[in-house]
């Protein structure tokens, strides 16, 4: 029971982190109709910028400034890069973002080197807030939960309760009509791209100390973010939240479980082979839940695409 | 302008000729390891240590064979087996007789196999393989060859030392084994189970787990399981980002016992663990530097740091490779007939710069040496790593570890 509670909290932390990454991406994706392959790279930039700033001015300054720099960089890339490529169609856009992801990784390695950076949680949060059983829950994890929830509420408020939010929502669904009504849609696109990348930056700033700040960090998280928005439904904030939490808990519980596939085989009345190497089912006999944990979200995505192609909360399909 | 160009050209030509004349005298060692890509940091560190060792320990002491210099020539294998074989061929075509490689046992197998075939087919220009890091036991057992020499302690010897130290701890009751899901992770787990069962049958192995290699984003659930199992100690063969992620998650979850590792230090890892890993992260390794074995060792490290401020002596055994090869060449009286050099290297006893003796066991070409358990700390550290206050302090030592360990090697001699 203790372990269940602890895993629940760990899964929540990881899920909310995924949410911060996917919230921006889902808006960008539904708006431009193009996967932004470089989205996780902005997450990495956030972590590295914050690390650099924190060595001079401390963690909190980094938390404030790094996402701003990432957001401005993102908006600039949309304005002077993506917008120009946009007129040539979706494929060049796709290739552009793909190239951008590779470029950012190389640039990061060029300036910060290939080894992991000593980016650490702020000292004021380096204590165990409480313990469940023998497992301590670090104060920083609780801090991560609060930051992510605050960002979710702020986004929800802006998107549903303000005039800006209404224009964005309208531009997501009917860009031509909104433009005809006299709104500057390219400006809206740039703004959303900037805010989306800044959100990825925030995720990088607060995840960097926990998940590690190294050149492979974007690659590790990159594909799972796409899975999240496809499961959640394009352009849906609630969907992104739901899918993120689902994936967070799913991977956490899978990694924490001690379930073995041998149990199923034994239950089916099969006998454990004496010589494992000679058995045709040896892979199944030795397989455990933690080993297949990382592919569960992808299996869920395939399942969702089959039964509900527009995602859990999405209003339109791919 | 024209005269200037001509003059410049002549000078360049003259320098080129004199340089190549000087190089012609050098005895070259090919360094085939990753110098680009994700593992470049480790390769670059090894290359710097070779350059320095050759310069300080051989060339400045008068060279070999009465005045010839050693020289390291670097080849980037991009951590790929295929690329390594191409680079090996290039090195052989350049007339290089000594090959140094260490990162990845998979690549070491490929190179050892290729060299074995090459030497059979080309008895006139045979080459030797100086394996300075790849620790797969098979290289000095079933797959051993006369041309391969291993200077690091192999994974089984290291596990033997690790479990010796653990067995001596009477308070130890539960051990958790976790590693990456591939050949080395599995080999470490198997060796740990075997050795612990033999030495301390009362110790319970409360977890034996593999996680996907380089794919885990968040190690927290694994850490929770380790805490929940009530483990007193953790054993892992993880390297790189997986090592840091796992270590930090375990410590962050409130674990206080020792975490025994193979690769939990240097190239950024020590700096990243910092205060959190203090007195928890332990390493099994040869050639400890804290405290240094002698003034000579201390001076050597100081001089190395002065020349390469960004690098560390993370693979101390490299000096043994260089010194023992130089000795063997002198003893053989030739650097061209590598069979003679290999015979001189076999059974050689060498006083290591890092203290203790190195014995190149003739039956399997495995170097037998002192192996230490070191601990990550900032107290009593004369030579820290990663330019951080933290380094590895020698805690216990097994002298001539694995001296009488069994080998299945049946060496084919020329």
């Amino acid at each position: 029971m203790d372990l269940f509670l602890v895993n629940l909290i760990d899964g929540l932390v990881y899920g909310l982190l995924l949410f911060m990454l996917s919230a921006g991406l889902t808006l960008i994706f539904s708006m431009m109709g193009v996967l932004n392959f470089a989205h996780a790279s902005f997450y990495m930039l956030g972590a590295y910028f914050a690390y650099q700033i924190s060595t001079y001015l401390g963690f909190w300054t980094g938390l404030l400034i790094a996402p701003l720099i990432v957001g401005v960089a993102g908006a600039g890339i949309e304005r002077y890069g993506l917008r120009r490529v946009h007129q040539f169609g979706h494929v060049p856009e796709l290739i552009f973002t793909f190239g951008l992801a590779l470029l950012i990784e190389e640039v990061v390695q060029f300036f910060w080197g290939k080894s992991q950076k000593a980016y650490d949680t702020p000292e004021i949060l380096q204590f165990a807030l409480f313990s469940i059983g023998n497992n301590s829950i670090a104060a920083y994890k609780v801090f991560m939960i609060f930051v992510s929830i605050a960002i979710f509420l702020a986004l929800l408020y802006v998107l549903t309760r303000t005039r800006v939010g209404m224009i964005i929502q309208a531009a997501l669904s009917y860009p031509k009509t909104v433009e005809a009504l006299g709104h500057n849609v390219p400006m809206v696109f740039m703004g959303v791209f900037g805010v989306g990348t800044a959100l990825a930056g925030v995720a990088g700033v607060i995840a960097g100390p926990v998940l590690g700040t190294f050149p492979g960090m974007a690659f590790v998280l990159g594909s799972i973010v796409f899975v999240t928005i496809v499961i959640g439904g394009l352009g849906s904030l609630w969907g992104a939240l739901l899918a993120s939490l689902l994936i967070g808990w799913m991977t956490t519980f899978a990694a924490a479980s001690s379930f073995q596939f041998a149990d199923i085989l034994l239950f089916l009345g099969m006998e454990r082979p004496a010589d494992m190497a000679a058995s045709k089912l040896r892979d199944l006999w030795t397989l455990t839940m933690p080993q297949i944990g990382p592919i569960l979200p992808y299996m869920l995505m395939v399942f969702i695409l089959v039964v509900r192609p527009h995602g859990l909360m999405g209003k339109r399909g791919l | 302008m024209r005269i200037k160009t001509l003059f410049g050209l002549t000078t360049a030509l003259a320098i080129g000729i004199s340089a190549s004349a000087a190089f012609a005298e050098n005895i070259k060692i090919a360094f085939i390891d990753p110098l680009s890509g994700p593992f470049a940091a480790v390769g670059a560190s090894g290359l710097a240590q070779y350059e320095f060792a050759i310069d300080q320990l051989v060339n400045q002491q008068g060279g070999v064979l009465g005045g010839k210099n050693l020289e390291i020539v670097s080849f980037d294998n991009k951590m790929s087996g295929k690329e390594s074989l191409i680079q090996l061929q290039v090195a052989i075509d350049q007339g290089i007789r000594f090959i140094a490689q260490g990162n990845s046992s998979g690549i070491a197998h490929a190179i050892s196999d290729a060299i074995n075939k090459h030497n059979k087919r080309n008895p006139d220009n045979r080459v030797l393989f100086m394996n300075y890091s790849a620790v797969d036991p098979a290289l000095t057992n079933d797959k051993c060859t006369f041309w391969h020499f291993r200077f690091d302690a192999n994974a089984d010897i290291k596990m033997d030392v690790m479990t010796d130290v653990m067995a001596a701890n009477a308070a130890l009751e539960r051990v958790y084994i976790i590693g990456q899901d591939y050949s080395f992770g599995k080999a470490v787990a198997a060796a740990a189970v075997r050795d612990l069962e033999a030495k301390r049958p009362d110790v319970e192995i409360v977890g034996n787990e593999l996680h996907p290699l380089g794919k885990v984003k968040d190690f927290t659930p694994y850490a929770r399981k380790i805490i929940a199992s009530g483990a007193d100690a953790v054993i892992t063969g993880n390297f790189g980002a997986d090592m840091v992620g796992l270590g930090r998650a375990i410590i962050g979850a409130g674990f206080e016992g020792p975490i025994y590792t193979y690769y939990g230090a240097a190239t950024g890892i020590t700096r990243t663990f910092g205060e959190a890993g203090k007195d928890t992260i332990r390493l099994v390794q040869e050639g400890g530097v804290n405290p240094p074995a002698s003034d000579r060792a201390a001076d050597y490290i100081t001089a190395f740091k002065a020349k390469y401020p960004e690098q560390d002596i993370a693979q101390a055994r490299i000096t043994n490779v260089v010194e023992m090869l130089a000795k063997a060449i002198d003893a053989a009286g030739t650097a061209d007939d590598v069979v003679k050099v290999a015979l001189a290297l076999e059974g050689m006893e060498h006083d290591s710069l890092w203290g203790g003796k190195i014995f190149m066991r003739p039956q399997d070409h495995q170097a037998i040496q002192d192996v230490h358990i070191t601990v990550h700390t900032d107290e009593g550290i004369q030579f820290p790593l990663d330019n951080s206050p933290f380094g590895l302090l020698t805690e216990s030592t097994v002298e001539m570890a694995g001296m009488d360990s069994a080998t299945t090697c049946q060496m084919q001699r020329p």
Side-chain angles (χ1 to χ4, degrees):
Chain A
M1 190 58 207
D2 283 352
L3 201 57
F4 179 80
L5 263 180
V6 169
N7 285 329
L8 211 59
I9 296 173
D10 288 337
L12 180 70
V13 172
Y14 180 52
L16 286 174
L17 180 75
L18 271 183
F19 165 72
M20 273 195 280
L21 271 166
S22 48
L25 186 64
T26 199
L27 293 179
I28 293 170
F29 190 3
S30 56
M31 201 170 60
M32 308 200 165
V34 155
L35 281 170
N36 176 14
F37 275 113
H39 198 70
S41 307
F42 289 104
Y43 154 81
M44 173 158 77
L45 279 183
Y48 272 95
F49 285 152
Y51 160 72
Q52 202 58 53
I53 294 168
S54 74
T55 54
Y56 299 110
L57 301 166
F59 176 85
W60 303 104
T61 323
L63 179 63
L64 289 177
I65 298 179
L68 280 182
I69 304 177
V70 175
V72 170
I77 285 167
E78 199 281 333
R79 173 68 184 82
Y80 297 103
L82 259 184
R83 197 179 294 180
R84 284 168 194 232
V85 184
H86 188 68
Q87 53 192 312
F88 301 112
H90 282 342
V91 173
E93 272 184 301
L94 206 68
I95 294 170
F96 176 81
T97 62
F98 192 70
L100 193 64
L102 296 178
L103 182 73
I104 290 178
E105 187 171 333
E106 288 303 319
V107 166
V108 162
Q109 288 195 23
F110 180 80
F111 282 106
W112 283 284
K114 293 163 201 299
S115 49
Q116 185 148 358
K117 288 290 148 209
Y119 178 34
D120 213 346
T121 53
E123 263 179 41
I124 194 167
L125 289 176
Q126 281 178 358
F127 63 96
L129 198 62
F130 57 94
S131 291
I132 302 175
N134 287 326
N135 277 294
S136 47
I137 306 291
Y140 190 75
K141 295 222 154 171
V142 180
F143 164 75
M144 283 170 81
I145 294 177
F146 278 111
V147 170
S148 334
I149 291 178
I151 284 176
F152 171 69
L153 293 178
L155 271 182
L156 200 65
Y157 176 77
V158 169
L159 281 179
T160 56
R161 295 274 181 275
T162 64
R163 201 177 148 71
V164 178
M166 279 160 63
I167 297 170
I168 291 174
Q169 288 213 348
L172 292 186
S173 321
Y174 306 104
K176 292 260 153 47
T177 319
V178 174
E179 199 153 29
L181 287 171
H183 293 291
N184 187 353
V185 170
M187 182 74 178
V188 172
F189 276 24
M190 190 178 87
V192 171
F193 201 92
V195 172
T197 48
L199 277 180
V202 177
V205 176
I206 66 173
V210 179
L211 301 186
T213 307
F214 56 102
M217 64 189 290
F219 178 77
V220 169
L221 266 181
S223 53
I224 200 77
V225 179
F226 292 120
V227 175
T228 313
I229 63 167
V230 172
I231 292 177
L234 302 180
S236 163
L237 210 55
W238 280 103
L241 180 70
L242 198 66
S244 305
L245 291 180
L246 206 60
I247 291 178
W249 277 320
M250 199 155 74
T251 43
T252 304
F253 278 105
S257 90
S258 47
F259 178 78
Q260 293 182 335
F261 281 78
D263 294 343
I264 295 187
L265 296 179
L266 287 173
F267 180 76
L268 290 176
M270 297 172 73
E271 270 186 42
R272 189 183 291 274
D275 180 15
M276 207 51 96
S279 166
K280 276 185 185 149
L281 289 175
R282 63 176 175 274
D283 289 332
L284 215 50
W285 277 105
T286 53
L287 198 62
T288 62
M289 202 59 165
Q291 279 175 292
I292 63 160
I295 61 163
L296 288 179
Y298 300 92
M299 285 163 68
L300 180 68
M301 179 179 75
V302 172
F303 178 72
I304 292 278
L305 281 177
V306 171
V307 299
R308 234 183 120 83
H310 49 279
L312 290 175
M313 312 281 276
K315 293 191 181 66
R316 59 189 169 101
L318 288 168
Chain B
M1 183 64 203
R2 203 188 175 121
I3 296 172
K4 226 179 189 173
T5 318
L6 204 67
F7 178 70
L9 211 70
T10 340
T11 323
L13 210 66
I15 291 172
I17 290 169
S18 60
S20 64
F23 283 142
E25 298 289 309
N26 285 356
I27 296 164
K28 292 180 187 169
I29 304 168
F31 176 87
I32 305 181
D33 260 319
L35 295 168
S36 64
F39 298 95
V42 185
S45 158
L47 182 60
Q49 291 176 68
Y50 265 108
E51 280 170 354
F52 191 74
I54 284 175
D55 184 51
Q56 288 276 311
L57 301 173
V58 179
N59 294 353
Q60 287 194 15
Q61 315 293 329
V64 290
L65 298 177
K68 283 190 184 177
N69 278 349
L70 288 186
E71 182 193 345
I72 191 101
V73 187
S74 65
F75 297 87
D76 181 10
N77 71 2
K78 305 185 177 73
M79 204 69 169
S80 131
K82 209 170 91 188
E83 190 69 25
S84 301
L85 295 183
I86 296 171
Q87 298 300 336
L88 172 68
Q89 197 54 54
V90 174
I92 293 174
D93 289 347
Q94 288 182 10
I96 299 178
R97 298 301 178 90
F98 305 101
I99 311 292
Q101 183 270 343
N103 293 301
S104 167
S105 288
I107 293 174
H109 274 293
I111 289 183
S112 182
D113 192 43
I115 287 181
N116 200 24
K117 283 181 186 144
H118 169 88
N119 286 356
K120 259 183 211 155
R121 290 170 194 154
N122 306 280
D124 297 332
N125 62 346
R126 287 164 167 160
V127 296
L128 287 190
F129 179 17
M130 308 282 127
N131 165 12
Y132 69 94
S133 272
V135 296
D136 182 352
L139 285 163
T140 45
N141 283 290
D142 292 350
K143 303 276 183 187
C144 73
T145 78
F146 178 71
W147 318 108
H148 165 265
F149 291 87
R150 169 163 33 216
F151 290 83
D152 198 358
N154 71 38
D156 281 351
I157 295 177
K158 286 187 175 182
M159 182 53 75
D160 193 29
V161 171
M162 208 187 265
T163 46
D164 272 350
V165 171
M166 294 172 85
N169 175 7
L172 185 74
E173 287 176 359
R174 297 185 189 86
V175 175
Y176 203 103
I177 305 164
I178 181 165
Q180 294 153 319
D181 196 356
Y182 83 118
S183 59
F184 178 65
K186 286 179 182 173
V188 167
V193 171
R194 187 187 62 218
D195 287 0
L196 278 175
E197 273 172 2
K199 290 172 192 170
R200 280 286 296 275
D202 61 308
V203 168
E204 191 188 347
I205 293 168
V206 288
N208 187 352
E209 163 142 47
L210 298 169
H211 65 76
L213 172 64
K215 291 233 163 41
V216 177
K217 291 131 201 143
D218 183 8
F219 277 98
T220 318
Y222 294 98
R224 300 297 187 202
K225 254 196 293 188
I226 293 171
I227 302 274
S229 72
D232 304 315
V234 175
I235 297 178
T236 180
N238 279 16
F239 63 82
D242 280 348
M243 178 64 243
V244 181
L246 179 70
R248 286 177 66 108
I250 296 177
I251 297 165
F255 185 76
E256 279 166 2
I259 302 172
Y260 291 97
T261 76
Y262 279 67
Y263 300 114
T267 53
I269 295 181
T270 298
R271 177 172 266 281
T272 314
F273 275 133
E275 186 66 32
K278 189 177 168 183
D279 295 334
T280 299
I281 303 290
R282 278 171 172 73
L283 225 81
V284 57
Q285 58 166 165
E286 39 59 65
V289 297
N290 289 304
S294 59
D295 288 346
R296 185 169 159 247
D299 292 344
Y300 181 83
I301 304 171
T302 311
F304 177 82
K305 283 301 278 186
K307 189 165 179 196
Y308 301 95
E310 294 301 314
Q311 303 287 0
D312 288 302
I313 303 279
Q315 294 159 305
R317 54 197 170 270
I318 285 173
T319 64
N320 298 331
V321 180
V322 170
E323 283 188 315
M324 288 172 77
L325 179 62
K327 257 194 201 175
I329 290 174
D330 271 339
T334 169
D336 296 323
D337 186 355
V338 296
V339 176
K340 278 189 186 163
V341 178
L343 288 171
L345 211 47
E346 267 191 348
M348 179 185 284
E349 279 193 35
H350 170 72
D351 292 313
S352 172
L353 176 59
W354 312 108
K357 276 201 186 316
I358 314 285
F359 172 59
M360 185 53 78
R361 202 158 65 165
Q363 59 265 41
D364 59 353
H365 292 187
Q366 166 68 53
I368 302 297
Q369 56 198 314
D370 295 357
V371 176
H372 317 278
I373 297 286
T374 56
V375 61
H376 171 99
T377 177
D378 58 351
E379 283 167 32
I381 295 293
Q382 192 177 347
F383 296 105
L385 295 167
D386 292 341
N387 295 325
S388 72
F390 291 88
L392 296 167
L393 184 71
T394 302
E395 227 178 17
S396 46
T397 301
V398 174
E399 285 181 10
M400 299 312 255
M403 185 65 156
D404 42 10
S405 60
T407 174
T408 58
C409 174
Q410 293 183 337
M411 199 170 282
Q412 307 268 330
R413 285 161 203 281

